Amino acid sequence: MGEHGVADVDDAPRNPPSARSGRPSTPSRLTRTRAALRRALPGLVVFAAMRLAVVAALSVWAVRTGRHPRTVLGMEWDSLWYIRIARHGYGTVLSGPAGSGVVYHDMAFFPLYPALIRAVNTAVPVGEVNVALALSWSAAVVAAAGLYAVGELLYGRRPALALVALWAVLPQAVVVTMAYTEPLMTAFAAWALYAAFTHRWLTAGLLASLAGLTRPNGIAAAAAVLTALGLHAWRCRREGRPVGRWAGPAAVLAPAGWFGYVVWVGVKTGSPWGYFTVQRRFGSTFDFGHYTLYMFKHLVLAKASLGQYTAAAVAIGAVALFVLGVLDRQPLPLLVYTATLMVMALGGAHFFTSRPRLLLPAFPLLLPVALTLSRARLRTVAVLMPALAAYSLVFGIYLTTVANSPP
């Protein structure tokens, strides 16, 4: 075991020998998968119950306000762009408010999610919006399972269950039930981290590449996998053992999805910086946190919306939890993954209320709380978790049906 009870994945225990043959027993992959699912089931049930409760409450509220629940979940803000790309491909350009200089170009959105929507709808023609929501909801469950897998591998079952439960009741968790890309990206990233920690390098590289094809901040998964590969190579060199034949291909593959799309946009726009030009014209730039600090000043000096106050609280909480993660000596790949997401979320100048959504894939931030919760008394858990769930539900309804800013 490593520091603070973290398992050292390079020293994983060997399979116990069989009583008859003396050889290591090797349970089948199916047996191992079933056992893992049984262990994760309580957390997945909590996650699914919370998400279904939000969908049900949001649907009732939407109907009361004269809107269709499917429209609220699958045809608002970024969701509309993904649906357009799935239907017509890239090429939509819209002008922003007069005099703003903003030009909305669909190349700002990465291609994997709309490509999946189009492929599934071609095979099962039930409508792009229905497919988009089905993909998002399915990816959210896979992501929750990935969170559990990483948490159990590093810290044990109870912290892993707490991690999944906490992710389910985040204020911004409503996003995982919308036609957004965060569930898909989180699923790829979580399982890429798990594959890296268990030295399945080619799988880790492939999943990180898919995360990079899903969202701009999907590059965080590649950064984490490359960090894990670097640490593994250093240990192998120090101990005089081979790195493994798949480490090199994985290192090339991990960032290939993100860089591949950025290069494609550069070719289409005729400029190697084309993607970043598209983002700047969209109103999204990286200003090293200047806009974020400006918004904090605004919140102190003037009235603001519930969404802005919640975004500020999530940002402050993220910084505090990251410091705790460093002090707890979380594995370096987790810290690199989280730090990359935080830099991109808090260092950019775009909708301030979107900061919590951009931090949704940063699940390692919740590990210090999950560890504490796993050791807490039942009475504490019984008070804290329903309170967090209630706020998540109310804020989710507010964010999708009341607020005039994007989630």
Side-chain angles (χ1 to χ4, degrees):
M1 299 294 286
E3 296 287 345
H4 299 277
V6 181
D8 187 344
V9 294
D10 277 335
D11 298 317
R14 308 296 182 189
N15 290 321
S18 168
R20 291 185 178 180
S21 65
R23 297 178 180 177
S25 61
T26 53
S28 69
R29 181 174 297 180
L30 181 60
T31 300
R32 294 195 302 270
T33 301
R34 286 176 176 172
L37 285 175
R38 282 196 298 270
R39 294 193 302 272
L41 188 59
L44 297 180
V45 168
V46 170
F47 177 81
M50 182 61 195
R51 300 280 39 92
L52 289 172
V54 169
V55 170
L58 191 149
S59 298
V60 171
W61 189 269
V63 170
R64 284 176 60 87
T65 57
R67 303 171 67 191
H68 196 290
R70 192 180 64 170
T71 301
V72 173
L73 293 171
M75 298 184 69
E76 297 282 353
W77 301 103
D78 289 5
S79 301
L80 272 176
W81 287 96
Y82 293 120
I83 298 301
R84 286 195 193 102
I85 296 169
R87 286 176 178 168
H88 311 296
Y90 284 98
T92 299
V93 181
L94 300 174
S95 298
S100 66
V102 174
V103 178
Y104 300 115
H105 199 302
D106 58 8
M107 284 185 181
F109 298 91
F110 275 53
L112 184 57
Y113 184 50
L116 288 175
I117 295 171
R118 185 166 190 163
V120 174
N121 190 58
T122 300
V124 186
V126 294
E128 290 88 355
V129 177
N130 293 328
V131 170
L133 290 173
L135 285 172
S136 181
W137 295 356
S138 300
V141 175
V142 175
L147 267 63
Y148 177 85
V150 172
E152 184 188 44
L153 178 69
L154 298 178
Y155 296 98
R157 184 169 183 262
R158 287 175 63 88
L161 292 173
L163 176 64
V164 174
L166 287 168
W167 197 63
V169 298
L170 286 172
Q172 66 272 33
V174 67
V175 171
V176 303
T177 48
M178 300 174 68
Y180 271 58
T181 51
E182 277 74 17
L184 190 63
M185 182 257 170
T186 306
F188 287 136
W191 285 106
L193 283 163
Y194 180 81
F197 284 134
T198 54
H199 297 173
R200 295 173 173 88
W201 297 120
L202 198 60
T203 300
L206 175 61
L207 292 172
S209 187
L210 292 173
L213 276 171
T214 305
R215 287 195 51 75
N217 58 1
I219 190 65
V225 170
L226 291 175
T227 301
L229 276 166
L231 290 172
H232 174 69
W234 176 76
R235 290 192 186 103
C236 289
R237 186 173 292 108
R238 186 183 62 179
E239 297 168 7
R241 54 191 174 95
V243 175
R245 61 174 177 169
W246 297 117
V252 175
L253 185 59
W258 191 90
F259 280 106
Y261 180 67
V262 170
V263 169
W264 180 81
V265 175
V267 171
K268 296 293 286 186
T269 58
S271 167
W273 309 107
Y275 172 75
F276 304 100
T277 301
V278 167
Q279 285 281 14
R280 186 171 62 253
R281 291 176 179 171
F282 209 100
S284 180
T285 60
F286 187 82
D287 66 353
F288 298 92
H290 181 268
Y291 177 71
T292 300
L293 293 175
Y294 164 79
M295 284 303 302
F296 274 103
K297 178 181 177 181
H298 171 76
L299 294 177
V300 172
L301 300 178
K303 291 183 179 180
S305 66
L306 176 62
Q308 291 174 327
Y309 284 122
T310 300
V314 169
I316 294 172
V319 174
L321 290 171
F322 182 76
V323 173
L324 287 177
V326 173
L327 294 176
D328 284 346
R329 299 185 184 182
Q330 283 184 11
L332 187 59
L334 286 186
L335 293 175
V336 169
Y337 171 73
T338 305
T340 304
L341 290 171
M342 289 180 62
V343 168
M344 297 183 74
L346 303 181
H350 201 30
F351 292 109
F352 185 70
T353 53
S354 296
R355 297 298 194 271
R357 172 173 62 85
L358 299 178
L359 289 170
L360 184 67
F363 64 89
L365 289 173
L366 299 172
L367 282 170
V369 184
L371 287 167
T372 301
L373 199 63
S374 68
R375 297 189 291 264
R377 295 180 178 179
L378 181 60
R379 181 172 54 190
T380 302
V381 177
V383 172
L384 178 63
M385 292 306 296
L388 292 174
Y391 187 80
S392 178
L393 190 150
V394 171
F395 184 71
I397 294 174
Y398 164 82
L399 200 59
T400 52
T401 61
V402 179
N404 293 319
S405 55

